[in-house]
Structures are given as C-alpha cells and as structure tokens.
Amino acid sequence: MTKKQPIHQQMAHQVIRIQPTKGFSALGLAELWEYRDLLWFNILKNIKSKYRQMALGPLWIILQPVMNMVIFSFVFGKMAKLDDGGIPYPLLTFSALIPWTFFQNSCTFACNSLVTQMPVISKVYFPRMIIPLADALAWLVDFTVTFAVLLIVMVCYGIYPNLRILAIPLYLLLTLVTTMAVGLWTASLTVKFRDVRLVVQYGLRVFMYVTPVAYTAANLEKALPDGWEWLLKMNPLYWVIEGFRWALLGGANGPELFMVYPIILIIAMLISGAYMFRRTERTIVDLL
Amino acid sequence: MSDNDIAMRVEGLGKMYRLGREIPHATTLTGKLKNASKAPFQWLSEQMREPTEEETLWALKDVSFEIKRGEVVGFIGHNGAGKSTLLKILSRITEPTTGYAEIHGRIAALLEVGTGMHPELTGRENIYMNGTVLGMKKREIDSKFDEIVDFSGISKFLDTPVKRYSSGMRVRLGFAIAAHLEPEILVVDEVLAVGDADFQAKCLGKMQDVASGGRTVLFVSHNMDAIRTLCTRAVLLQAGELKVDGPSVAVVEKYHTALRDDVITKDSGIGDATRRRGSGCARISSVSVLNIEEEATTSFEQGEDVLIDLSFQIMKDISCLYVMIGLRSGRNGELITTSTRHAVSEKGLSEGQTGTARVRLPNPNLRPGDYPLYIGLANEKHKAFDVMDGLTAPLIISTSKTVHELGYDPTKACGYFDIESEMEACKRLD
C-alpha cells in the first residue's frame, strides 16, 4: 500500500466533471493517448480472433485480393481488352487492390464497430474512438502480407522496385486518413440510422468503379466528358492508387500539385468526423 | 468540509429518456398503403420533433449528494428506481440531461464481471484485454498478473480459449481482474448476484477489504445484509428521486417499509395473483407483522416474540386449510426454516368464506439479520393454495449486545441461529 502512495497523491488532483455538453466538445486526444494500451490490445484482439479456428487461417488474407485480381484481369484485360499502359494487367490491378482492399475492409468494420461493440460500450467508459481505430488498424496486418505477395509477383514478372518505393508509407498514411475520415463519419451515423450500413456497403461498390482500381486512370478519364477529370482527381484514393502504381510499376500519375485539394478535403473530413464522433459518443448508450 | 475530503459531489443530476409514441394502426387496405407510403420518412420526422411531456421519462430527477473520501455508500431502491442510470452517469457511460457530478480522483466502475472478454482469446490474453478495458495500464497488469491468476484459480487453463471455460471460471477470472483494480473511487453494481454462494462470500470479503482499505466505494445491491454490513451510509432512490440519505441501517429499514407500502397496500387485492404461487383455491388478503404489544413493526430485538396476523378468503371449495410461516435468509435467499403447520380448519370450507389467523413466532435463537417471510396456505398434503414469498417486509432482528457478549460478530456471516454448546474437555497446552 505504502509503495503506491505517490501515484495516489499525484492522481488526487485529477477532477472529472460530468455534465451535459452543449454543442461540440473537445477531441480528447490526450485521453486517447492515456488509453493507448487498450488500443493496442484491441488491435491484437481483432487480429487474433479474426483467423482463429479457421482451416485456411491467414491464407484468407491473400485470397480476397487475388480473387479480385483474377476477375479484373480476365474481365477488363482479356475480355474488354482495355489499354494497360504497358504494365501486365494482373500487376496493374493487384497493386491497386492492396490499398483498396485495406480501405474497403477498414471502412466496413469501422462503420459497424460501435454497434457490434455495444456490450462493452454499455458497461464501461473509455474513449470510444479506440473502437473504429482498432478495427481499421488491425487490417494493416493484411495490408503488409498482401504487399509482400505483390513484391513476389512483381519479381516473377521481372519488375524490380526502385527507390520510389519509399513513397509507399506516405501513400499509406493518406489511405489511413481517408479510412478514418470515412470510418468516423459513418460510425457516428450508423448509431443513429442503421441504414447507413447498407449505404456504405453499396456506396463502396460504386466508389470502387470511380476509383481506378480495375483499370488505369487514363481509361477512366477517357470515359468522362472533357473538363470533368478534376472530379475524379478530388478523390484521395485516386492519388493513392495511382501513387502505388507509380512507385512500384512506373508509368502512372505520380504526385502532382493538384493533390493538395483532395488532401485538404480529406483532412477537413477527418477533423469534422472526429468532432461528429465525439458528439455521438456522449449519449451513444441511449441510442443503440 | 474542505474540498480535499470530498470524493464526489453530485448536484441536481437528472436524466431524461425519450419514449416512443404509438402510431395508430390502419385497419383498411387503403389505410395501410397510406401508412406504408409515409413510413420511410415518418421515423425521421418523429426523431426530429421535440418530445412532448408524455413521451419523456425522467429516470433520474434532481439528485444531489456529497461523498467524502473513504466513505462506503450503498445505493438501494426497487427495480427502475434509477440506480443503474445513476451509476451509468457516474461511470461516464452516458451523459446526464441536467445537473453535474464532480469526481475527485481516479474512478473505476464495475457494472459487470468480465466486460470486453473475447471468447476466442485465451485466459492470459483476456486478462490484458479486460484489464485495459477497465482502465489499467499494461505495466500495471504485468506487475499484478501472478496475483490475478492466483486469485482466480484458473492457472491450469491460462492458455485455453475462454469460450471453453465454464461460466463459473469466466466469472472468477473476471472478478479476479476487477479485484486488482486500484482506483480511489470504486463503483460496483450488482456484480455479486452472479456465481455460487462461495463465490459471493469471496466477493463480499474482497469488498470488505477494499472498503476498510480507506477507499471510496459506491455499491448498488438488492442484498440488504450486504448493504448493512459493508456500508456506513446508504441512499434510497425511488422513481428517480433521492428519498432518504443516512446511516445504512436506518435507510434499509425505510426501504423495507417502502417495499411493504408498495406491495401490500397496492397489490394485496385478492384478485392479484401474478406475484403469488399456488393453485389459488384460497388467497391471503392481508398480512401484518406485530410485536408483543400488538404494534405493527418489522424490527425486533433478538429474543422478542413475533406475531403474524393474516386474513384469507376461500376462492374455491376446499377440504381443509393449513397455514405455515417460513423464514428465508437475507444473504442468499434460501428457505432456512419453517414453522409447524397449523390447522386453520380440518373441515371443508366453501367459496366466499373469509377468516383470520394469528401465528406467534418466538425467536430466542435467531441471530441478528434480515429474514424475508414466506407465508403459505396449503391443504393436508402440502398442496399450496397461496404462497406469499418475500412480498412483505422482512423481519429485521437486531441486538444491543456487544460482540464480546454475543461471542460472534453479528455484522459478519455467522449462520442464522444461536445453539447451545458446552466445553466437555480441555487440556492445557504447556
């Protein structure tokens, strides 16, 4: 008991005031940092529980993007014979599918996370933002594994990565920011309106086709009336996917000054999403 | 009281919930179609509208109190009195609608045992999972890990997924983790209601340690014995409002009176059989508990005689009628003793007849405590006509004797009866 005294005294100054909040409250990032161990164990839990007691286990990580790669290469490469810009079609789609699959899975999970974690939320307090964050971050394991597979496939095709690969972490960061922006908004809305789940599910499917995942950006732009390309380019994932191709395979759109607009847009969305989330968090138990 | 002594200050706390409104059902096909076409946006517009008076429910209304550092306070009240809502607000799970609460120091809430455990993870992994959910740091759990495992007694199954645990093991593990939290303020809901008697005794023991360790504890329970033994002070909530705040013994008695007023006066109608058992051929219509001076009371000094008056009505023709009084334990609720059966009538009784009976219960051997009453009407073959089980206020037996005079501590679990014993032999140990 005596040993712990200093900690107690140090904490005795802490005063929590519980009262109705009007409007928006602070983001509470310091508190989020206080609970970093919980975030870490939540990520571990998500990873460990996902593949336990499955016959193929981690093999499923690779299966999802590989299946999509095969389908896209067949439909768009072989049947529609779309221009591949000199890159083998499987590599063209696989390199795009790695950030896309991460985005898609993280968003779906983050969106549902508050509803599925209700039993915990209703019994104990912690910064709720940990839940969608842990759900999204757990998919980084899948990202890393599939990325390694991509590198192997590239070598099989005789393409070796150069120094541009160093840009990948920056593109990954942009993917994460986009994921969290969409995840926080949809998670807050799903609590109130359960249909948001379905909107996200169908929305992501549509979104994939306006993002150059299954074909090159040039092909997508050709399909639009002149002067409307900027709309495609306001999508941060457009730059992420083109950036992955540019960094690994070459030949796509690398970083451009125009990127600043979607980046500003998505950061604004992330911040507003975080405030929205904090607002929902306060009475989440009464709503679910 | 200086600010330093205060652990918690609650001022005008209130919580409003919004109730749904019934939408009239259409009976015709055209009416149904009309409703269906409106349906997509109806819900939305309902949500946007400000609720009217009837659609709101104040689960908690203008509750204020202060808790000093080191105080152990029990919160009691019937189901729906607002206890859980209060705990949810104090543990920051939800926000109040009005008022505020100020909490000085680190707070931990235990509203459930084993929150956040994942069935696919092993016991070891879940100790970290559950511990961090409750607000511990990894470093803290590392240092207490062995103690937690020891306390839970599941060391052999540490690397088995929790889904293969028995429910008892899961509860033990959950409690072991929670017991090693070291907050300055601990909020505990009815967690002791789970598990067997052994486990409950262990929980109560641990709570006692925490309470005597100088920490502030807020404790919700329906176990009045536990409230009286653990808490120095109790708060009675009724319909969301704070009714009584004072020494636990007095507040528990108030609670019992409130219970009696609630149940007996409102539901003693002969027709209301929903809370009773038995065939219903005869019904108890009123019960009163009296002392030897024939004054209505439920508090008795150890050794004092108890009189129980009851009146009954025959609902269907029966061949005979017996009455029996039983006592339950306030701790675990099991029937600990019954009186002999008394024949009210050994001849047949016919529908519509009424009568009264008085049973005298001398209690020289009952130890201090709460004893919920079990009152039954039955035939000669023990076939029950009517059973009022715990529906009346329990008998409260107290004593003015000291621990030394009694030879045991009445605030600790020491059984229910005094029995005579004598020293037969004794050898000096030198």
Side-chain angles (χ1 to χ4, degrees):
Chain A
M1 225 45 234
T2 41
K3 263 195 310 191
K4 279 149 197 152
Q5 210 53 44
I7 305 174
H8 273 232
Q9 278 167 355
Q10 167 202 329
M11 291 200 163
H13 300 290
Q14 182 192 348
V15 176
I16 307 165
R17 200 178 155 95
I18 299 166
Q19 61 187 358
T21 324
K22 296 267 179 286
F24 292 97
S25 47
L27 285 183
L29 295 180
E31 197 184 27
L32 204 59
W33 178 246
E34 272 291 297
Y35 274 89
R36 58 191 180 276
D37 286 348
L38 177 60
L39 176 65
W40 174 241
F41 282 110
N42 256 306
I43 295 173
L44 281 187
K45 175 194 78 179
N46 288 343
I47 295 167
K48 283 177 180 166
S49 60
K50 204 156 41 178
Y51 298 106
R52 244 176 222 181
Q53 220 181 2
M54 281 184 156
L56 295 180
L59 219 60
W60 288 105
I61 297 177
I62 311 163
L63 222 58
Q64 191 192 356
V66 165
M67 290 283 280
N68 276 328
M69 176 191 80
V70 171
I71 293 167
F72 290 159
S73 306
F74 183 74
V75 173
F76 296 103
K78 287 264 187 262
M79 281 169 68
K81 295 204 169 45
L82 290 183
D83 178 32
D84 55 18
I87 301 164
Y89 219 93
L91 280 183
L92 188 79
T93 59
F94 200 56
S95 59
L97 276 165
I98 288 165
W100 174 260
T101 311
F102 171 77
F103 171 75
Q104 189 186 14
N105 288 336
S106 304
C107 272
T108 316
F109 268 68
C111 166
N112 294 331
S113 59
L114 290 180
V115 179
T116 51
Q117 289 294 307
M118 196 52 208
V120 185
I121 291 176
S122 65
K123 292 294 180 198
V124 65
Y125 171 82
F126 54 86
R128 310 306 193 198
M129 223 181 274
I130 282 179
I131 291 176
L133 213 55
D135 268 324
L137 291 178
W139 289 97
L140 278 178
V141 174
D142 300 44
F143 175 89
T144 314
V145 172
T146 44
F147 190 76
V149 172
L150 172 69
L151 291 180
I152 294 167
V153 178
M154 274 170 63
V155 172
C156 294
Y157 273 99
I159 300 172
Y160 295 93
N162 55 23
L163 271 180
R164 280 190 194 165
I165 199 173
L166 295 178
I168 292 291
L170 292 175
Y171 282 114
L172 177 60
L173 185 67
L174 182 56
T175 319
L176 264 175
V177 170
T178 313
T179 304
M180 281 324 290
V182 177
L184 287 177
W185 266 103
T186 54
S188 330
L189 289 173
T190 308
V191 172
K192 271 200 164 155
F193 311 106
R194 235 27 88 76
D195 359 23
V196 171
R197 250 200 281 207
L198 298 172
V199 173
V200 169
Q201 203 180 322
Y202 294 116
L204 278 172
R205 221 171 284 177
V206 175
F207 195 50
M208 189 182 81
Y209 288 102
V210 298
T211 308
V213 178
Y215 23 70
T216 61
N219 271 323
L220 189 61
E221 280 159 29
K222 257 194 292 180
L224 273 184
D226 281 343
W228 285 92
E229 289 91 9
W230 66 272
L231 199 62
L232 291 177
K233 292 186 178 175
M234 280 309 282
N235 170 7
L237 289 183
Y238 172 99
W239 296 100
V240 167
I241 281 166
E242 283 293 281
F244 263 70
R245 286 175 181 152
W246 169 81
L248 298 169
L249 313 165
N253 288 328
E256 276 174 35
L257 200 60
F258 189 84
M259 265 180 92
V260 175
Y261 298 117
I263 288 175
I264 290 174
L265 176 80
I266 205 67
I267 289 176
M269 240 182 100
L270 176 70
I271 294 170
S272 59
Y275 276 106
M276 188 66 198
F277 189 89
R278 286 283 291 170
R279 201 191 162 119
T280 314
E281 174 183 274
R282 302 196 302 247
T283 50
I284 202 164
V285 181
D286 309 339
L287 288 170
L288 278 171
Chain B
M1 177 161 35
S2 92
D3 238 33
N4 266 333
D5 301 333
I6 296 175
M8 190 182 282
R9 178 183 285 132
V10 172
E11 201 61 61
L13 211 61
K15 176 85 186 171
M16 187 196 77
Y17 284 105
R18 194 180 171 147
L19 305 174
R21 194 177 57 145
E22 203 186 351
I23 293 162
H25 272 278
T27 45
T28 61
L29 182 64
T30 45
K32 275 192 183 179
L33 284 174
K34 226 159 129 194
N35 272 359
S37 64
K38 277 194 286 185
F41 300 103
Q42 193 160 27
W43 186 80
L44 201 64
S45 62
E46 280 285 302
Q47 291 296 305
M48 299 303 190
R49 204 169 42 83
E50 275 296 304
T52 61
E53 192 94 355
E54 306 93 78
E55 284 166 30
T56 59
L57 170 86
W58 285 87
L60 209 60
K61 226 174 349 186
D62 197 26
V63 170
S64 308
F65 55 84
E66 258 176 23
I67 294 175
K68 276 184 270 181
R69 243 170 240 296
E71 249 186 321
V72 181
V73 184
F75 286 84
I76 55 181
H78 305 163
N79 289 332
K83 304 180 302 280
S84 301
T85 308
L86 179 65
L87 287 203
K88 276 197 171 150
I89 293 170
L90 294 181
S91 52
R92 299 164 76 198
I93 290 166
T94 187
E95 271 200 345
T97 316
T98 60
Y100 71 88
E102 240 174 37
I103 293 163
H104 298 251
R106 194 165 106 134
I107 185 168
L110 195 58
L111 304 194
E112 180 190 65
V113 170
T115 314
M117 282 199 182
H118 195 286
E120 293 287 346
L121 300 187
T122 65
R124 182 190 304 275
E125 289 162 338
N126 267 312
I127 289 178
Y128 283 98
M129 198 57 236
N130 183 230
T132 47
V133 162
L134 291 173
M136 281 198 255
K137 294 259 161 51
K138 181 180 179 294
R139 190 163 38 89
E140 257 178 287
I141 304 172
D142 283 337
S143 67
K144 289 177 195 155
F145 191 84
D146 294 334
E147 272 177 74
I148 292 173
V149 174
D150 270 0
F151 191 85
S152 68
I154 56 129
S155 51
K156 255 166 72 188
F157 309 98
L158 210 50
D159 293 304
T160 311
V162 163
K163 64 178 173 184
R164 309 221 190 285
Y165 282 25
S166 72
S167 53
M169 283 159 70
R170 237 176 278 186
V171 167
R172 282 212 304 276
L173 180 62
F175 189 78
I177 300 163
H180 289 82
L181 277 171
E182 284 186 347
E184 287 163 283
I185 304 168
L186 182 66
V187 176
V188 188
D189 201 355
E190 194 84 77
V191 282
L192 310 175
V194 292
D196 53 19
D198 255 12
F199 174 75
Q200 288 188 17
K202 199 171 175 182
C203 290
L204 278 174
K206 188 74 195 174
M207 292 275 299
Q208 206 129 32
D209 290 352
V210 173
S212 54
R215 251 169 266 169
T216 314
V217 183
L218 277 72
F219 178 47
V220 164
S221 182
H222 287 289
N223 183 338
M224 293 303 139
D225 255 10
I227 293 277
R228 263 205 311 245
T229 40
L230 285 176
C231 309
T232 46
R233 175 181 159 195
V235 171
L236 173 63
L237 292 175
Q238 206 168 22
E241 286 173 84
L242 193 153
K243 274 279 170 255
V244 194
D245 180 352
S248 55
V249 177
V251 177
V252 167
E253 198 164 333
K254 268 281 193 316
Y255 169 81
H256 287 320
T257 333
L259 185 79
R260 185 180 53 200
D261 289 351
D262 246 34
V263 176
I264 296 309
T265 54
K266 269 196 249 145
D267 301 296
S268 62
I270 297 168
D272 182 44
T274 52
R275 306 176 67 163
R276 315 262 190 93
R277 287 176 295 192
S279 65
C281 294
R283 286 276 175 224
I284 300 165
S285 43
S286 76
V287 176
S288 37
V289 181
L290 312 169
N291 64 14
I292 207 74
E293 270 92 42
E294 303 208 355
E295 294 158 338
T297 179
T298 50
S299 303
F300 295 87
E301 179 70 19
Q302 195 183 21
E304 215 183 329
D305 284 8
V306 178
L307 299 177
I308 294 165
D309 266 1
L310 50 99
S311 50
F312 55 86
Q313 184 171 6
I314 310 301
M315 313 300 283
K316 262 188 204 147
D317 294 358
I318 49 176
S319 60
C320 61
L321 183 64
Y322 289 85
V323 62
M324 186 190 71
I325 309 287
L327 295 178
R328 288 189 178 277
S329 112
R331 271 191 292 278
N332 303 322
E334 76 262 26
L335 201 58
I336 48 174
T337 187
T338 57
S339 68
T340 32
R341 279 193 315 152
H342 302 287
V344 176
S345 165
E346 289 183 319
K347 294 198 304 270
L349 294 168
S350 50
E351 188 183 328
Q353 278 186 291
T354 57
T356 60
R358 168 174 289 186
V359 178
R360 185 195 183 101
L361 222 60
N363 76 5
N365 298 325
L366 273 181
R367 290 193 160 175
D370 286 3
Y371 298 92
L373 284 171
Y374 172 104
I375 303 163
L377 296 178
N379 70 7
E380 81 282 6
K381 288 179 186 127
H382 288 281
K383 175 107 180 56
F385 296 138
D386 192 12
V387 175
M388 286 184 75
D389 196 352
L391 288 185
T392 56
L395 295 182
I396 302 168
I397 311 290
S398 51
T399 179
S400 48
K401 286 186 195 152
T402 63
V403 174
H404 186 71
E405 284 171 306
L406 288 168
Y408 61 87
D409 181 356
T411 64
K412 297 234 167 71
C414 286
Y416 308 112
F417 303 102
D418 284 335
I419 54 169
E420 299 271 326
S421 55
E422 268 168 38
M423 178 94 81
E424 278 276 295
C426 178
K427 215 168 158 186
R428 286 186 56 186
L429 311 161
D430 44 18

